Amino acid sequence: MDVLLDCDPPWLQTGEILDAVARRWNHKIPAQSLRPLLSGMKREGVIARRGRLVALSSRAVGKGV
């Protein structure tokens, strides 16, 4: 969530999220671990998806979600 909170632009692809986490915390997360987390966050309304792009719902307003 931290990466999606302050990224510019607010929409990122999964690979960009993984890269940002690796840069920010010097920790690699496998894609197969991130995808279920994103699915749960989508179900809970925390994130929005637009095709392959992901954004926090609060930042996705007005972006054609």
Side-chain angles (χ1 to χ4, degrees), residues 25-58:
W25 293 288
N26 196 28
H27 183 74
K28 278 199 143 190
I29 297 174
Q32 62 267 26
S33 295
L34 180 62
R35 288 187 193 112
L37 178 62
L38 293 176
S39 293
M41 292 171 72
K42 171 69 173 151
R43 272 191 309 277
E44 295 170 4
V46 175
I47 63 167
R49 298 207 64 151
R50 186 173 69 188
R52 299 178 75 189
L53 298 173
V54 178
L56 286 179
S57 294
S58 61

Side-chain angles (χ1 to χ4, degrees), residues 6-35:
D6 63 4
C7 62
D8 186 34
W11 294 91
L12 296 176
Q13 291 187 8
T14 304
E16 294 171 316
I17 295 170
L18 295 171
D19 291 344
V21 167
R23 282 192 310 274
R24 187 170 292 185
W25 293 288
N26 196 28
H27 183 74
K28 278 199 143 190
I29 297 174
Q32 62 267 26
S33 295
L34 180 62
R35 288 187 193 112

